[in-house]
Amino acid sequence: MNRRLILVLIFAALVRIIYQEGMLSYGGDFHNGSDSGKYLMIAETIVEHGTFGRSGEDGVQPEYNRMPIYPYFLAGVFEVFGEGNLEAVVRVQIVVDLIMIVGLALAAAAIDRRLTIPTALIAAVIPNFLVHVSYVLTENVFLLFFVWGMCACLWAIRGVRPAMLLLAAGICFSLALYTRPVMMFFPLFVVPTLVYALVSGGTARLGKALILAATPAVVMIAVAAPRLAVHKAELGHAVFTSQSGTHIVKWVYPCLRTPWSCSSHGEAWRENEPIISARIAELSE
């Protein structure tokens, strides 16, 4: 690995540790609130019962809303460092972030090797990265898989073993999908973009480019299929997650009918709630 890149990674680690210690010294918390709580509840259930679900008064209930990778990541940290050790979680997330920065640097090198170190330096200090690495939230782990998938795509466009790299990209994007369900829409962007890039860059003719570009999407569909089949068998609905539906009715639709700041989405949500409750009551469990 480039010596300068190693120095950037050391710098990035120190910045993140300082930021996290600063959070604590000013009364901050690694627990984000509602979203952190959802993932922690599932992780604690995994540790205590060995089941991906939520513990409650009625026992352990199966989980159809959140994606599994981040709760299992949390459970793994708790198994090693002690249950509920949030400081250990954010410290491990620093390591995850450093691996992500390496992926960003390599992705930049696929475009122009002169961009490698500047890209890594920018990633080391981007405020958004500092914040999310210090909360118990999925963004940190999601970005790891997403960035490495994009890195594989960029090197494939350059003609470096495109079939193998696009297969690897599909695996990375699938792991990102099982971390955050928003990735289910990504094939709509990545397939046509890859076709254009492979053809215009001279890496492949149109026919071969279509096959290569479809590879990540096909892998994602194949990886998602077992979850769809399980939900179909258990619930009668072949849905990947209920989380995306909740986001649409609680955030997307209300925000579309409010000012650009989305400041009054709560009013729209209260108006929609009786309709949504009635529709949900018509569904099976």
Side-chain angles (χ1 to χ4, degrees), residues 6 12 32 76 89 97 104 113 140 190 210 275:
I6 293 175
N32 166 265
V89 171
D97 221 36
L104 277 175
R113 292 188 183 276
N140 176 256
V190 75
L210 287 169
I275 303 171

Side-chain angles (χ1 to χ4, degrees), residues 220-236:
M220 291 176 69
I221 293 169
V223 173
R227 183 178 174 93
L228 294 171
V230 168
H231 287 177
K232 176 66 175 177
E234 293 181 351
L235 305 172

Side-chain angles (χ1 to χ4, degrees), residues 33-209:
S34 176
D35 283 342
S36 292
K38 292 180 177 70
Y39 291 107
L40 288 168
M41 183 182 298
I42 300 169
E44 290 162 1
T45 303
I46 294 171
V47 172
E48 295 171 4
H49 302 280
T51 302
F52 183 74
R54 300 188 189 214
S55 300
E57 296 179 357
D58 299 326
V60 177
Q61 300 298 319
E63 175 61 38
Y64 301 110
N65 190 273
R66 302 285 155 166
M67 293 290 98
I69 284 185
Y70 192 66
Y72 275 105
F73 166 79
L74 293 176
V77 174
F78 291 159
E79 287 282 2
V80 175
F81 298 101
E83 188 172 343
N85 190 340
L86 301 191
E87 185 172 353
V89 171
V90 297
R91 296 295 198 242
V92 173
Q93 287 184 172
I94 290 177
V95 177
V96 172
D97 221 36
L98 297 182
I99 300 172
M100 184 272 292
I101 291 174
V102 173
L104 277 175
L106 291 176
I111 300 170
D112 188 332
R113 292 188 183 276
R114 292 173 297 180
L115 297 175
T116 303
I117 300 303
T119 299
L121 276 171
I122 293 170
V125 296
I126 287 179
N128 198 28
F129 290 174
L130 298 181
V131 171
H132 283 296
V133 78
S134 304
Y135 278 133
V136 179
L137 292 173
T138 61
E139 280 80 357
N140 176 256
V141 175
F142 169 80
L143 277 175
L144 171 70
F145 299 130
F146 181 76
V147 163
W148 278 94
M150 290 300 294
C151 179
C153 286
L154 288 169
W155 280 100
I157 291 169
R158 290 196 59 177
V160 180
R161 299 184 179 181
M164 185 183 72
L165 283 175
L166 290 172
L167 176 63
I171 294 171
C172 289
F173 292 149
S174 297
L175 292 170
L177 174 64
Y178 271 82
T179 307
R180 288 181 67 92
V182 70
M183 279 296 291
M184 68 175 67
F185 303 108
F186 191 60
L188 299 175
F189 165 79
V190 75
V191 173
T193 303
L194 281 173
V195 171
Y196 172 78
L198 289 167
V199 173
S200 64
T203 301
R205 293 184 177 181
L206 181 59
K208 185 178 180 181

